[in-house]
Amino acid sequence: MSTGRHSVRSITIGTRTGLVLGAAIAIPALVSAMPVSAANATVTAGYSATIGGPGHAAMYPSGMEIAPNGNIIVADTGNDQVAEYLPNGTLVWRVGSEGNAAPCGANPAGFPQFEQPRDVGVDSSGNVYVADNGNGRILKLNGTNGKCLVKPFKMPGGGAPIGVTVNTTPAGQLVYVANGTKSQVIVFNTTGAVVQTISSNGICTLNRMRDATADATGNVYVANYESNDILVFNASGTCLTKYGTKGKNSTGGVCNGNGTGTFANPYGIAIGTDPFIKGGTPGEAVYVADSNDDCLQEFSTTSGGVLTWVANIGGPGTDAQTGTFTQLRRVAVDSSGNVWGADLWGYRVVEFTRSSTGYAYGQTIPNPIVPPGNTDTSVFNQVRGISFDAAGDVVAMDSVNQRVDTF
């Protein structure tokens, strides 16, 4: 789900998984950022385009990624297809049909068959990697036309890939695959050779993990959903550390995980650039979407994987215009260091702007909130994924409305 570029996307392990590029950072001193009045917020995002949805071609997306050329790649799970679109919604190509044949093996220049493709990743050349869940394999496609490039990547020991991403590491571009049924992360090179298998070891026990991200040294950070902690593995798959314990669900509009080292089912995780984290200069940080505490948490980290709490961002609540969440799922960081949360049952995405003193509520999309429905005007109904295109526009995956929206 991320490209060979320096990305802020992440993948999901358990329902949909991926990894993101980053680097080691120093420890800052920042204040917590709770919701503030919407009176000071300036809404700058406006509707741009819809891909799929009611009244359009039916789509049942589970994963998406932004290619280096700014186009949007979608894993259309329900239709057993993969498609590429321009940012304005124009179709570039759509390939695939339901089946378990391996034309990528018999005919690498042919078109693929899928069985519930769940996610996509893109490398720096624009090649597309598809998590073909039902067939237990990764397919590598030509980003120009969607045709197969090489034989399928098979999961060592079996399993079902549910998330995929491509990261640039010191060893070159690597393909990270969430093997959901085996509770593993399989690392391939771009030709399909297995480089590493990451599984439970030491004090790190993978337990219905939902998301993961990797830094530039190859350390991998996992949102361990069921065990309420963050696991950190090195590039060789060895457990470095486990951070956090079970906390409380959100109550009273206050983040319970306020620097206490607790989580309530962490769901999303990403690495992005915080412009003020290194004594007022930019550096990398780890961001966690703590789903049942409805708070975003930011951490600094070291080369040894040690996490140090930096700030809370947002908080639980039902007021859509003050930076609150009702069932947080994903987190992403834009090129300015602003932090975005995807609120599944709040039917919105929320931005928090970064300054030298912390975070403040920025804007809500849509504003005002439009309740879910079966028309194009419903805007969101369970937004599950969020990213940014080459122009910095917000791209959101709207699962129940069966579409992708750009703002």
Side-chain angles (χ1 to χ4, degrees), residues 199-207 224 227 229-233 237-244 304-305:
S199 56
S200 298
N201 66 85
I203 61 173
C204 295
T205 301
L206 297 167
N207 188 3
N224 208 24
S227 293
D229 52 31
I230 303 299
L231 306 182
V232 186
F233 300 86
T238 300
C239 174
L240 292 178
T241 188
K242 177 179 73 173
Y243 179 91

Side-chain angles (χ1 to χ4, degrees), residues 8 12 75 89 119 262 271 273 294 306 323 362 375 396:
V8 293
T12 310
D119 198 16
T262 62
I271 288 180
T273 300
D294 288 311
V306 176
T375 68

Side-chain angles (χ1 to χ4, degrees), residues 218-283:
N219 289 345
V220 176
Y221 305 80
V222 178
N224 208 24
Y225 179 84
E226 192 70 16
S227 293
N228 297 285
D229 52 31
I230 303 299
L231 306 182
V232 186
F233 300 86
N234 67 15
S236 299
T238 300
C239 174
L240 292 178
T241 188
K242 177 179 73 173
Y243 179 91
T245 58
K246 181 178 176 57
K248 299 178 181 179
N249 290 1
S250 58
T251 56
V254 177
C255 298
N256 290 302
N258 189 6
T260 61
T262 62
F263 298 102
N265 304 116
Y267 202 104
I269 190 168
I271 288 180
T273 300
D274 182 332
F276 300 100
I277 198 168
K278 296 176 67 175
T281 61

Side-chain angles (χ1 to χ4, degrees), residues 47-402:
Y47 170 78
S48 175
T50 293
I51 301 171
H56 302 277
M59 183 192 300
Y60 305 88
S62 288
M64 70 172 183
E65 187 53 87
I66 310 300
N69 61 5
N71 291 351
I72 300 167
I73 313 295
V74 178
D76 188 352
T77 307
N79 287 316
D80 295 300
Q81 295 179 327
V82 173
E84 178 174 348
Y85 294 88
L86 299 178
N88 64 7
T90 300
L91 179 66
V92 177
W93 51 259
R94 174 177 282 271
V95 300
S97 60
E98 183 179 8
N100 58 13
C104 287
N107 178 17
F111 290 104
Q113 287 187 326
F114 302 112
E115 189 65 47
Q116 297 187 5
R118 294 294 295 273
D119 198 16
V120 289
V122 187
D123 65 24
S124 60
S125 298
N127 299 318
V128 179
Y129 301 78
V130 183
D132 188 10
N133 178 266
N135 289 322
R137 63 193 182 189
I138 300 296
L139 299 186
K140 182 178 179 180
L141 309 182
N142 187 316
T144 302
N145 53 28
K147 289 186 176 182
C148 300
L149 287 174
V150 297
K151 293 181 179 181
F153 301 4
K154 298 297 290 185
M155 299 293 102
I162 202 163
V164 59
T165 192
V166 184
N167 282 342
T168 299
T169 75
Q173 289 193 92
L174 297 178
V175 182
Y176 293 79
V177 178
N179 192 356
T181 58
K182 298 291 185 177
S183 292
Q184 296 174 329
V185 176
I186 310 298
V187 185
F188 296 90
N189 64 22
T190 55
T191 64
V194 176
V195 175
Q196 182 64 48
T197 298
I198 300 174
S199 56
S200 298
N201 66 85
I203 61 173
C204 295
T205 301
L206 297 167
N207 188 3
R208 294 185 62 191
M209 61 281 197
R210 287 294 189 269
D211 208 0
T213 185
D215 65 24
T217 67
N219 289 345
V220 176
Y221 305 80
V222 178
N224 208 24
Y225 179 84
E226 192 70 16
S227 293
N228 297 285
D229 52 31
I230 303 299
L231 306 182
V232 186
F233 300 86
N234 67 15
S236 299
T238 300
C239 174
L240 292 178
T241 188
K242 177 179 73 173
Y243 179 91
T245 58
K246 181 178 176 57
K248 299 178 181 179
N249 290 1
S250 58
T251 56
V254 177
C255 298
N256 290 302
N258 189 6
T260 61
T262 62
F263 298 102
N265 304 116
Y267 202 104
I269 190 168
I271 288 180
T273 300
D274 182 332
F276 300 100
I277 198 168
K278 296 176 67 175
T281 61
E284 297 300 321
V286 178
Y287 303 83
V288 178
D290 196 9
S291 65
N292 285 323
D293 197 20
D294 288 311
C295 289
L296 300 167
Q297 296 192 50
E298 179 184 0
F299 299 87
S300 65
T301 186
T302 68
S303 58
V306 176
L307 294 174
T308 300
W309 180 82
V310 174
N312 279 354
I313 306 168
T318 58
D319 187 346
Q321 310 308 320
T322 59
T324 61
F325 301 105
T326 56
Q327 188 57 220
L328 188 58
R329 276 296 183 267
R330 296 277 177 237
V331 57
V333 187
D334 66 26
S335 60
S336 298
N338 301 321
V339 178
W340 298 72
D343 192 3
L344 182 76
W345 291 340
Y347 314 114
R348 59 187 183 255
V349 296
V350 183
E351 178 193 21
F352 299 87
T353 58
R354 185 69 167 96
S355 70
S356 59
T357 58
Y359 292 92
Y361 168 70
Q363 61 177 308
T364 298
I365 303 174
N367 188 359
I369 298 296
V370 180
N374 292 322
T375 68
D376 288 339
T377 59
S378 63
V379 186
F380 290 135
N381 191 350
Q382 296 192 14
V383 55
R384 292 180 181 271
I386 184 171
S387 188
F388 310 97
D389 65 19
D393 298 330
V394 178
V395 183
M397 189 174 68
D398 189 9
S399 59
V400 176
N401 280 333
Q402 302 170 11

